[in-house]
Amino acid sequence: QSALTQPASVSGSPGQSITISCTGTSSDVGSYDLVSWYQQHPGKAPKVIIYEVNKRPSGVSNRFAGSKSGNTASLTISGLQAEDEADYYCCSYAGHNTVLFGGGTKLTVL
Amino acid sequence: EVQVAEAGGGLIQPGGSLRLSCAASGFTVSLNYMSWVRQAPGKGLEWVSIISSSGSTHYADSVRGRFTISRDTAKNTLYLQMNSLRAEDTAVYYCARDRSGWGNYMDVWGKGTTVTVSS
């Protein structure tokens, strides 16, 4: 199974909104609402920011929002802040007892 | 405080074996799904293995047959036995509590332990 497809990089200015896509197939993203998003700052462990497509863990800013349409999931970050600069990974259950991550997207806050 | 701490990484020759451990505190390993996730140098995250609360185990194709996930209830510790190691297994290995299973809500992560497979 191949990794989920994410853009390698996205950028935005402070205060703007950006969206990161995560494209899978009908066997993974398209079949299950088990899509999550992880934020990873350099040298740090990942942190879950969205789970089950659009749910936010306690303590995660409501500037982060998740959605899904067909085989593509999306993460939208509104009101960009400097601290949002990080790598972002989508993750989906892929059936047959396996999990797939996306290749990761580097967000640069200009 | 809810946390996990990995240990056991190091430099190992190709074909060798290594056992990673993940000590948990603040929650019970055996009552949760627990996953191992790795990250090769400069690369993205890769799911490796999961053990459910019932004890069923599952693996990524890349490690199936070589890696074994297990847990010790008394020690509240998760393990990853890695055999027949290859250069491509070189990575930082993280353990994580997987609240709803299947990578969907991994909410507690350790700092990771580094495995380097090289001669």
Side-chain angles (χ1 to χ4, degrees):
Chain A
Q1 286 164 317
S2 300
L4 306 174
T5 301
Q6 297 181 231
S9 63
V10 298
S11 62
S13 299
Q16 289 185 330
S17 295
I18 62 95
T19 297
I20 299 172
S21 61
C22 169
T23 303
T25 70
S26 58
S27 297
D28 39 66
V29 173
S31 287
Y32 307 97
D33 285 340
L34 293 176
V35 177
S36 50
W37 289 89
Y38 294 87
Q39 176 193 61
Q40 187 181 35
H41 288 104
K44 301 295 186 181
K47 171 189 174 184
V48 61
I49 55 174
I50 295 289
Y51 68 100
E52 290 177 10
V53 177
N54 55 15
K55 297 179 180 177
R56 273 188 314 275
S58 174
V60 172
S61 170
N62 60 9
R63 297 186 299 105
F64 295 93
S67 62
K68 188 182 86 166
S69 177
N71 298 337
T72 299
S74 299
L75 172 70
T76 298
I77 308 175
S78 57
L80 268 180
Q81 300 179 0
E83 68 214 45
D84 298 333
E85 186 161 294
D87 293 326
Y88 291 83
Y89 296 90
C90 62
C91 178
S92 175
Y93 179 58
H96 304 292
N97 302 315
T98 59
V99 175
L100 284 177
F101 278 97
T105 297
K106 181 178 180 59
L107 169 62
T108 300
V109 180
L110 302 170
Chain B
E1 183 182 1
V2 175
Q3 58 185 4
V4 295
E6 303 92 341
L11 174 64
I12 187 76
Q13 292 188 338
S17 298
L18 211 54
R19 188 178 80 157
L20 306 183
S21 63
C22 169
S25 57
F27 72 97
T28 302
V29 166
S30 62
L31 296 181
N32 287 271
Y33 281 78
M34 297 292 296
S35 285
W36 286 97
V37 175
R38 68 185 181 184
Q39 186 168 35
K43 302 296 184 182
L45 302 174
E46 179 187 15
W47 175 77
V48 173
S49 181
I50 190 170
I51 185 167
S52 73
S53 52
S54 66
S56 61
T57 60
H58 303 283
Y59 303 90
D61 289 346
S62 58
V63 306
R64 187 176 295 113
R66 300 187 299 123
F67 290 12
T68 302
I69 190 172
S70 64
R71 65 191 181 199
D72 184 322
T73 301
K75 294 183 178 179
N76 205 31
T77 298
L78 178 74
Y79 298 100
L80 186 68
Q81 176 68 42
M82 305 185 297
N83 299 330
S84 303
L85 282 162
R86 306 166 180 167
E88 53 264 37
D89 295 319
T90 294
V92 174
Y93 284 75
Y94 296 100
C95 73
R97 183 175 72 175
D98 201 336
R99 290 285 293 273
S100 59
W102 303 116
N104 180 53
Y105 189 178
M106 293 185 280
D107 68 334
V108 180
W109 295 69
K111 294 182 178 180
T113 187
T114 299
V115 173
T116 303
V117 184
S118 174
S119 55

